[in-house]
Amino acid sequence: LMTFYADCVPLFLYDPVQRVIATAHSGWRGTVGRIGMVVVQKMQELYGSKPEDIICAIGPSICKACYEVSKDVADACGVYTEEQRKILLEDKGNGKYQLDLHQAYCVAGYLHLLQSGTVILPSGIRWQTRQSGWCDYAMRINRGMPGLKYTIHLIQKFRTQI
């Protein structure tokens, strides 16, 4: 499977028992909608996977300093507690907010996946930071030319031994 990302949180799921792989592209809508659990449920439904057999790797994504959102997106984060909103959102005034999308996924999706028994492997890194000098300012800001990242997720048919 090959998927493309700009700023969003990539998810890579693998069930070694049923030999099934899946990916998900978790932008703010997918994050709030807990797309990781939706994928786990589909893997159960279509392939007989059990959540406790599934391994989910959470890839890197945009940092809070680089991700400005409007009030409607900030309001969609109302599914979080007030304490969590304070961590995830920084109110810049004038209806603009900085959103920590990666942390939002960890709050919205991570806990639900863990509660289901799914093994989580967070990346611990972010793609973009202003401090590193290569913040990726999404397609809407970069005049339609984002710095896209892609991933390839596959199952090896045969194992070789060295």
Side-chain angles (χ1 to χ4, degrees):
L1 298 176
M2 185 173 188
T3 49
F4 292 87
Y5 306 88
D7 300 332
C8 301
V9 180
L11 304 175
F12 313 99
L13 296 99
Y14 172 53
D15 176 353
V17 175
Q18 298 297 330
R19 296 193 43 80
V20 175
I21 58 173
T23 63
H25 175 274
S26 189
W28 73 264
R29 285 182 183 92
T31 296
V32 170
R34 294 166 173 78
I35 190 67
M37 277 306 302
V38 171
V39 174
V40 167
Q41 290 164 353
K42 273 294 181 194
M43 290 172 73
Q44 288 176 280
E45 177 187 320
L46 298 174
Y47 304 104
S49 294
K50 296 177 185 172
E52 60 271 19
D53 294 334
I54 298 172
I55 300 165
C56 177
I58 302 171
S61 63
I62 196 164
C63 72
K64 186 177 187 178
C66 298
Y67 193 40
E68 182 180 274
V69 298
S70 59
K71 186 175 181 336
D72 63 323
V73 175
D75 288 346
C77 292
V79 298
Y80 305 109
T81 66
E82 193 58 37
E83 185 177 309
Q84 291 167 338
R85 276 180 63 95
K86 287 177 187 176
I87 295 167
L88 304 176
L89 291 165
E90 178 185 326
D91 189 344
K92 294 176 60 181
N94 204 18
K96 300 292 181 186
Y97 298 81
Q98 295 299 125
L99 172 63
D100 188 334
L101 187 61
H102 196 273
Q103 187 65 31
Y105 184 80
C106 288
V107 169
Y110 192 91
L111 294 176
H112 286 87
L113 287 170
L114 277 179
Q115 289 168 351
S116 76
T118 301
V119 176
I120 308 292
L121 303 173
S123 69
I125 56 175
R126 311 280 172 94
W127 279 125
Q128 302 91 0
T129 63
R130 284 203 172 118
Q131 295 78 14
S132 70
W134 54 289
C135 190
D136 191 335
Y137 292 102
M139 192 174 331
R140 61 189 151 56
I141 294 173
N142 205 12
R143 295 189 177 95
M145 299 299 293
L148 288 177
K149 295 99 186 153
Y150 65 92
T151 60
I152 298 173
H153 191 42
L154 58 92
I155 294 179
Q156 188 176 0
K157 187 172 181 176
F158 299 103
R159 289 191 165 206
T160 58
Q161 293 190 340
I162 298 176

